[in-house]
Amino acid sequence: MSESATAQESPIIVVNNLIKQFGRFAALRRVNASFEARRIYAVLGDNGAGKTTLIRILAGLNQPTRGSVCVLGSTDLHSVRAEIGYMAHPSLLYDEMSGIENLRYFARLYGIQDDRRCEQAIEAVRLDPKLPRPVGQYSQGMRQRISLARALVNDPKILFLDEPFSNVDSGSAKEMVKLLVQMRDQGKTIFIITHQAALLEAAADEFIWMETGQITSRTTSLHMAEAR
C-alpha cells in the first residue's frame, strides 16, 4: 500500500482519554474515539450529556482538562483552525447588518478579503447575497442558513454544527439536510448535534449517542441507536 493511500485512510480526528472538568463537574469522562473523513456524524443525547463540550473541544474552542485531540494529523488545533467551521446553537449574528455584511466581518477574521468567497457561501445555502435587509428581519430558517454560511466562509474540511435545525420549520430543515448531504458528498466531514435525529435518519453515516460525558454507542442506523 502506498504512503498516500495510508494517509488517506487515517482517521481525520482521534481522541484519547479526553476529560473536561468545570470545577468538580466532569462534562467529559475519558472519551476515546476516532472519526473518518467524508461522513456525517449525528451526535445525540440528553441535555448535559457532553455533546456541545465535545465538539467545542474538537473545534479548538475549549481546552481539555486532560487527554489529547488530534485533528487532521495535528495536536495543535490552532494550526488547523482554518480547516474548521463551527456553527453555535445561538446564531451569534449581528442583527443590524445584512447577510453579506455579517459574512464579510467574519471572513476578515480569517484574513479573507475576497467578497466573492462570502457570496459563494451565501449562495451555497440557497440565499441571495444581494438581499439588503438586516438579519434581524430574517425568518428563523434564514437565520440558521446564514449562520451555516458563516461556518462555510473559510471553506473548511470539517464542520461542527450545534442544533442547526432549532426553531426551523420542517421544510427549511429538510432543505438544510439536503445541503449538508451535498457538502459531505463533496468531501466535508460534518458533526451535527441535534434533538431532531429523525431529520438525519437517511442522511447520517453514523449516530453517536452520549450519556453523562461518555460516548455510550455508535451505530449506523437511528433505529439501532434508539434501541441501544
Side-chain angles (χ1 to χ4, degrees):
M1 183 179 293
S2 70
E3 183 178 341
S4 61
T6 302
Q8 188 176 8
E9 294 170 4
S10 298
I12 198 168
I13 296 175
V14 178
V15 176
N16 287 308
N17 292 318
L18 194 64
I19 295 173
K20 180 62 178 179
Q21 290 181 278
F22 296 98
R24 295 185 177 180
F25 174 67
L28 295 177
R29 300 187 295 142
R30 295 194 180 279
V31 175
N32 291 280
S34 63
F35 303 98
E36 305 300 320
R38 300 176 298 280
R39 291 173 179 257
I40 291 177
Y41 294 96
V43 185
L44 313 177
D46 295 333
N47 291 336
K51 305 182 300 297
T52 295
T53 301
L54 177 61
I55 71 164
R56 284 185 62 85
I57 289 176
L58 298 184
L61 298 173
N62 287 136
Q63 294 295 316
T65 304
R66 288 194 293 278
S68 66
V69 177
C70 181
V71 176
L72 294 167
S74 177
T75 55
D76 177 10
L77 301 195
H78 181 79
S79 70
V80 296
R81 66 177 182 175
E83 304 293 351
I84 293 172
Y86 180 78
M87 177 180 172
H89 188 188
S91 66
L92 304 178
L93 297 167
Y94 291 96
D95 285 351
E96 70 279 7
M97 297 164 63
S98 68
I100 191 70
E101 288 170 340
N102 267 277
L103 258 67
R104 281 177 187 147
Y105 174 78
F106 289 104
R108 299 303 183 264
L109 299 179
Y110 286 100
I112 298 169
Q113 303 294 326
D114 184 3
D115 273 4
R116 184 58 190 150
R117 289 278 294 275
C118 301
E119 293 168 0
Q120 288 171 339
I122 294 175
E123 290 166 353
V125 299
R126 309 291 195 270
L127 289 177
D128 182 359
K130 296 185 174 62
L131 192 65
R133 71 176 186 263
V135 166
Q137 296 178 15
Y138 280 16
S139 69
Q140 183 61 24
M142 292 172 68
R143 289 177 67 87
Q144 292 295 82
R145 287 184 183 223
I146 205 70
S147 292
L148 178 57
R150 184 190 62 200
L152 291 171
V153 73
N154 56 316
D155 192 24
K157 292 181 179 177
I158 307 173
L159 274 172
F160 297 100
L161 312 179
D162 194 345
E163 296 289 355
F165 315 121
S166 179
N167 299 316
V168 175
D169 65 85
S170 175
S172 295
K174 289 176 181 177
E175 282 299 312
M176 287 183 72
V177 171
K178 289 180 183 178
L179 289 172
L180 294 172
V181 168
Q182 290 173 7
M183 292 174 194
R184 185 271 315 277
D185 292 346
Q186 291 165 1
K188 296 190 188 302
T189 305
I190 306 172
F191 292 78
I192 306 170
I193 292 176
T194 183
H195 284 96
Q196 297 164 271
L199 286 167
L200 297 172
E201 185 171 8
D205 297 285
E206 191 170 344
F207 295 87
I208 299 168
W209 197 277
M210 295 191 67
E211 293 181 30
T212 60
Q214 295 180 313
I215 294 175
T216 54
S217 71
R218 296 178 64 168
T219 66
T220 55
S221 78
L222 178 59
H223 174 72
M224 290 169 64
E226 291 176 335
R228 73 198 191 288

